[in-house]
Amino acid sequence: MSEAYIKKNGLLYSPDSRTILGVDDSSTEFTGRVPFGAHYIDDEVFSDCPYESVFLPDSLKSLGNSLFSNSKNLEKVKLPSSIKELSPYLFSGCEALVKVTMPNVLTEFPEGLFYGCSSLQEIPFRAGITKLPENVFAGCTSLKSLIVPASVTEIDSCAAANCTGLESLVIPSGIKNIAEDAFAGCTSLHNIRIDGESDLFFVNREDGCLYKHSEGGDVLVIKAYGVQKQTVSFFKDTVDDEPVEAPEDEEEDDDDLFSAEIGTSDAELEIVDMEKEVNNMSDENNLDSMLADIMGEEKERNSTPVDVGVSAQESAVLSETMEVMADSTVGSNTGAITTDELEKLFSKNETEEMSTQKSEEEVKEPNALDSKTKILTDTVELSKVLTFEPTGETPEDADLFVIAEKTVTNANGEKDFSKKLLSCCETFAKIHDFKRVILLAGLPLDNEEFMQFYFHYINKRNVILACEAASPSALSDYGREICEQSRISLDKAELAEQRKRATMKTHTLIKLVIRDKYE
């Protein structure tokens, strides 16, 4: 640090006040929020700092190396929205870090960005990242699942090494190179999937591992642990329907649509009579034959709220969304905003965290949609909100989100949700004492900014996918993507558990798939 400096705001500045050189240990004025004005922060200024949160202003143009390294108490950081590059090992050793608000535009993730951030449960990716460099997520032991963005083409050595809690991994089909030790030490990893078709890599259905095609023989790239071939049970759609049989020549291909942990084909599916599962319910209140093909739910890890790298970003969206969507109405397919408008919402500079207090509108009208839900209803092609008066105690999350793969045409020639699906929604609301069911159709899966928002928002919400598929191997690309983004698991044990929860009131989230024939 230079000998020439000035003290103000509890910080040490260069004589021109453009560079922050350090923290003034003789002052208690600085509490974690850096005032607007400085252009640069020197290396390691906040390393080993005692603060739980640090907020950096948008006046900053660049950040020093290892700026927050080994800050054991640091939980939350807001980075400047104006910068386009991050320095190496920016958060290395920040064991308590759980949330980072990222800049609007990043050209890349630097080496060791989140190295050793053992409390970080989700990675705050930004669109456009093309490479995961060395040690970028190494030692993030709380990371449970990782969906590598489609823009990434290269994963370097030890990029996610020793992420011992990592269970599920989705690799983009456009990946060109993965270092053989990129996921070394990820001993809980048992679910590996390629999002699409890849000419270079494939998941072996027998051992669940990721291999690379090579002239000298296939090369093991990512090892899967504890994978066992299983059969999966599904509900029959109606008692009179015939069991779904897959053609013999399609069995091999169908398995590849899902993780090697499933390891089953249509011919192996055990069809379960729905009437035996719901014999305590009347014909009027049963699931109207909609509870077919229930496909799973993330169990206990959905019971603890997670908020990583998204709420501050969302706050900018929510603060502007009503102005953009002022003419939209719930249930209309004319209110969907364009990709350009959506990206503008998400690229808005963040100035402060989203208030946790309810708005005056929500207080006056308890059934009014919150701003986040409005983003969903106003962005999709078609939406509808059903409201109910619970007769019992409402769950902590009293909303159910239903994603319909297809819609029908009603008597007025307009797009609508099928009567069968609406009846099923009413039944679920009665069973679980939901206050609202929000139906959505036509999610813009090709919009990365929206899908990032959807992934984080829907993570801890009750969500159902209604589709035509009679089994997981028959799911469409749209259906598979919704399952992935909605955290709908296909694990055999979770399928069995979900069947029980579907027909009785519980205190856990609903994450399942039901079959709608759109008749």
Side-chain angles (χ1 to χ4, degrees):
M1 184 177 67
S2 172
E3 293 183 1
Y5 60 84
I6 58 176
K7 296 181 179 183
K8 63 177 180 179
N9 305 317
L11 298 169
L12 304 178
Y13 288 82
S14 61
D16 62 1
S17 296
R18 296 301 189 188
T19 301
I20 297 176
L21 303 173
V23 178
D24 183 2
D25 294 332
S26 65
S27 171
T28 59
E29 185 176 354
F30 181 70
T31 59
R33 187 176 292 274
V34 177
F36 190 91
H39 290 177
Y40 178 72
I41 301 182
D42 214 348
D43 295 346
E44 302 182 3
V45 164
F46 297 114
S47 64
D48 295 301
C49 76
Y51 313 107
E52 293 184 357
S53 60
V54 174
F55 296 83
L56 304 182
D58 289 347
S59 62
L60 290 168
K61 300 181 184 301
S62 60
L63 308 176
N65 294 333
S66 304
L67 186 60
F68 300 99
S69 62
N70 298 314
S71 294
K72 307 300 183 184
N73 297 322
L74 189 63
E75 298 178 2
K76 181 167 59 176
V77 173
K78 177 193 175 295
L79 296 176
S81 60
S82 53
I83 63 175
K84 293 180 172 58
E85 293 185 8
L86 301 179
S87 56
Y89 292 90
L90 189 65
F91 299 106
S92 64
C94 294
E95 298 175 354
L97 187 68
V98 295
K99 177 182 175 184
V100 179
T101 301
M102 303 295 280
N104 292 330
V105 178
L106 284 178
T107 57
E108 62 179 0
F109 272 1
E111 178 180 341
L113 178 61
F114 295 111
Y115 180 76
C117 294
S118 54
S119 295
L120 194 63
Q121 297 184 13
E122 294 184 29
I123 302 300
F125 284 115
R126 301 302 277 169
I129 300 297
T130 60
K131 178 180 178 180
L132 301 185
E134 291 186 17
N135 294 314
V136 63
F137 313 135
C140 291
T141 55
S142 293
L143 193 64
K144 295 288 187 182
S145 63
L146 181 63
I147 301 176
V148 180
S151 56
V152 172
T153 60
E154 184 176 355
I155 303 178
D156 284 353
S157 177
C158 297
N162 299 315
C163 292
T164 54
L166 185 64
E167 299 175 357
S168 300
L169 173 66
V170 179
I171 300 293
S173 58
I175 200 78
K176 301 300 182 185
N177 183 57
I178 304 175
E180 293 182 21
D181 62 348
F183 294 88
C186 296
T187 53
S188 297
L189 184 59
H190 60 266
N191 187 344
I192 303 173
R193 188 166 73 85
I194 299 176
D195 188 16
E197 296 294 329
S198 172
D199 294 332
L200 297 175
F201 298 92
F202 70 96
V203 176
N204 186 296
R205 58 178 295 177
E206 296 298 329
D207 60 16
C209 300
L210 184 79
Y211 290 84
K212 182 177 182 179
H213 293 295
S214 175
E215 293 182 0
D218 297 332
V219 177
L220 175 64
V221 179
I222 304 176
K223 183 178 180 181
Y225 295 82
V227 176
Q228 296 180 351
K229 190 171 182 179
Q230 300 176 354
T231 57
V232 185
S233 300
F234 295 90
F235 281 119
K236 189 175 179 182
D237 186 55
T238 62
V239 176
D240 296 328
D241 286 344
E242 293 294 326
V244 177
E245 298 269 346
E248 293 182 4
D249 58 350
E250 293 182 3
E251 289 185 2
E252 296 280 339
D253 294 334
D254 283 349
D255 270 348
D256 292 338
L257 297 179
F258 299 90
S259 80
E261 182 183 6
I262 302 298
T264 185
S265 64
D266 282 355
E268 294 172 316
L269 300 178
E270 176 188 354
I271 307 299
V272 180
D273 191 337
M274 183 58 198
E275 289 186 350
K276 294 179 181 178
E277 299 291 333
V278 292
N279 54 13
N280 292 327
M281 302 172 62
S282 68
D283 290 339
E284 180 181 357
N285 291 329
N286 66 18
L287 297 188
D288 193 29
S289 73
M290 272 292 293
L291 261 178
D293 303 343
I294 291 185
M295 300 182 183
E297 184 250 350
E298 280 188 330
K299 297 189 286 187
E300 298 304 323
R301 62 190 174 105
N302 277 339
S303 63
T304 303
V306 178
D307 186 17
V308 180
V310 67
S311 64
Q313 177 190 12
E314 290 171 4
S315 69
V317 180
L318 304 182
S319 66
E320 298 295 331
T321 189
M322 290 309 297
E323 295 179 12
V324 175
M325 305 172 182
D327 296 330
S328 302
T329 56
V330 173
S332 171
N333 62 353
T334 61
I337 65 175
T338 66
T339 297
D340 289 342
E341 289 172 331
L342 189 62
E343 289 176 349
K344 288 179 182 178
L345 289 178
F346 276 89
S347 63
K348 186 73 176 176
N349 290 351
E350 301 100 309
T351 56
E352 59 184 37
E353 291 297 305
M354 187 69 180
S355 170
T356 57
Q357 299 296 322
K358 288 186 177 180
S359 66
E360 293 183 5
E361 274 188 48
E362 290 175 297
V363 173
K364 293 178 182 178
E365 178 51 63
N367 287 326
L369 296 179
D370 60 85
S371 299
K372 294 180 182 179
T373 303
K374 279 183 176 294
I375 291 178
L376 295 180
T377 58
D378 292 331
T379 300
V380 300
E381 293 179 2
L382 180 67
S383 64
K384 177 177 288 188
V385 178
L386 308 178
T387 58
F388 302 92
E389 292 294 334
T391 58
E393 181 182 357
T394 58
E396 183 176 351
D397 181 7
D399 287 345
L400 171 65
F401 291 84
V402 177
I403 315 299
E405 183 178 30
K406 294 185 178 181
T407 56
V408 298
T409 302
N410 61 23
N412 298 323
E414 300 172 339
K415 288 185 177 180
D416 201 353
F417 299 95
S418 71
K419 292 182 179 180
K420 188 177 183 182
L421 180 57
L422 295 175
S423 175
C424 180
C425 291
E426 181 177 358
T427 301
F428 272 112
K430 290 179 179 179
I431 294 174
H432 297 277
D433 286 305
F434 290 132
K435 290 183 177 180
R436 292 184 307 201
V437 176
I438 298 98
L439 294 103
L440 308 169
L443 275 66
L445 300 186
D446 58 344
N447 188 294
E448 293 184 4
E449 298 289 345
F450 172 79
M451 292 311 296
Q452 183 184 53
F453 166 75
Y454 176 85
F455 175 78
H456 287 282
Y457 180 56
I458 213 70
N459 184 21
K460 303 302 173 187
R461 311 305 298 269
N462 299 296
V463 59
I464 292 175
L465 169 66
C467 64
E468 283 186 311
S471 65
S473 60
L475 269 178
S476 66
D477 290 342
Y478 179 88
R480 286 187 283 119
E481 182 69 14
I482 293 299
C483 286
E484 194 73 53
Q485 297 295 330
S486 305
R487 302 293 185 88
I488 299 176
S489 174
L490 301 178
D491 179 76
K492 178 184 177 183
E494 292 174 6
L495 290 174
E497 184 67 22
Q498 187 60 64
R499 283 200 294 273
K500 299 176 183 178
R501 296 176 181 177
T503 56
M504 64 183 70
K505 184 174 180 179
T506 68
H507 296 287
T508 55
L509 290 178
I510 292 178
K511 297 278 189 180
L512 58 91
V513 177
I514 58 178
R515 187 183 184 194
D516 189 349
K517 292 186 176 180
Y518 302 99
E519 297 171 345

